Amino acid sequence: MFVLSVKAGRKKLLIGLAVVLIVITGVMVISKMHDSKPVATVGGKQYSLKAATNEDRISFLKQFGWNVNAEPIEMKDVTIPEKFNNVYTQYNKIQKEQGLDLLPYAGKTCRQWVYAVTNFPQVPNVRATMLVYNNIVIGGDLSTVELDGFMTGFNGVQESADYGMRKTVSPRENLPSSATPTVSSAIPANAWPTD
């Protein structure tokens, strides 16, 4: 029979245990970060920000009850400016209302996807615009193409009166047939941030 004995001082034993605990904690944190899905929270409700594929982007909009045409109307690269002007500051207010924030992405180039919303109640030509960075939605809006239209967050609620929406709008299937969204105020000609 073979017996191995190791003589370690108290200090070495404590250092060894501390190293093992740090390694275990690091593995758990990395595992949690890797397995966690990107989410945002609005009004206590969490929604996924995953946007790696066209199906992901369509599913993202379905979380809010919106149906869109399967193919995007437009896709292009957009650079978020290093320093926000008034237009970007106002646009970021909408983002913050929906649990997002463009400031951490200042100076970065993201992909802009635009889809036609097919079930917005009694308002034609509504577009869903998504800003995607590293396959995650970082911002976007619902808006009309008309200059006297509106711009709102993905959930159809405009908390600030910046861009014309005056009440909550839900997808058609969730509204009584007599409901009509109230839309007023013109969107400024330079309302959509572009590069």
Side-chain angles (χ1 to χ4, degrees):
M1 178 185 300
F2 180 70
V3 176
L4 177 65
S5 99
V6 175
K7 194 171 187 180
R10 182 178 215 137
K11 187 175 181 180
K12 287 182 181 178
L13 186 60
L14 288 176
I15 291 173
L17 284 174
V19 168
V20 169
L21 286 174
I22 289 171
V23 168
I24 290 172
T25 303
V27 168
M28 288 173 48
V29 167
I30 290 170
S31 174
K32 178 84 170 162
M33 286 174 40
H34 180 68
D35 292 340
S36 68
K37 297 176 183 168
V39 295
T41 305
V42 177
K45 182 182 175 192
Q46 281 193 336
Y47 60 94
S48 172
L49 299 174
K50 185 178 173 189
T53 65
N54 193 51
E55 291 76 25
D56 290 343
R57 291 184 293 276
I58 292 170
S59 293
F60 172 82
L61 294 167
K62 281 193 178 285
Q63 294 176 105
F64 301 97
W66 306 118
N67 296 327
V68 296
N69 289 337
E71 293 302 316
I73 296 169
E74 180 182 18
M75 56 191 143
K76 65 180 181 178
D77 289 335
V78 174
T79 301
I80 299 169
E82 290 276 342
K83 184 172 165 68
F84 285 13
N85 61 16
N86 188 46
V87 173
Y88 261 93
T89 299
Q90 294 301 318
Y91 189 69
N92 204 36
K93 282 184 183 179
I94 292 173
Q95 305 318 307
K96 288 180 178 182
E97 290 169 0
Q98 58 189 1
L100 304 171
D101 187 358
L102 293 176
L103 281 174
Y105 303 96
K108 303 213 183 295
T109 299
C110 62
R111 190 81 165 155
Q112 179 189 55
W113 300 86
V114 181
Y115 290 87
V117 177
T118 60
N119 67 328
F120 200 90
Q122 302 170 352
V123 178
N125 300 321
V126 174
R127 304 291 186 246
T129 301
M130 284 184 272
L131 299 175
V132 177
Y133 184 77
N134 286 341
N135 299 324
I136 296 171
V137 175
I138 61 168
D141 63 85
L142 296 178
S143 62
T144 56
V145 294
E146 291 80 20
L147 286 179
D148 63 343
F150 65 87
M151 182 180 286
T152 184
F154 293 119
N155 63 2
V157 176
Q158 181 71 33
E159 294 178 11
S160 65
D162 297 329
Y163 294 113
M165 180 61 73
R166 298 293 185 229
K167 81 180 227 182
T168 302
V169 178
S170 300
R172 182 173 289 140
E173 63 268 10
N174 296 332
L175 282 179
S177 59
S178 62
T180 304
T182 304
V183 180
S184 63
S185 298
I187 298 174
N190 61 352
W192 172 243
T194 58
D195 50 342

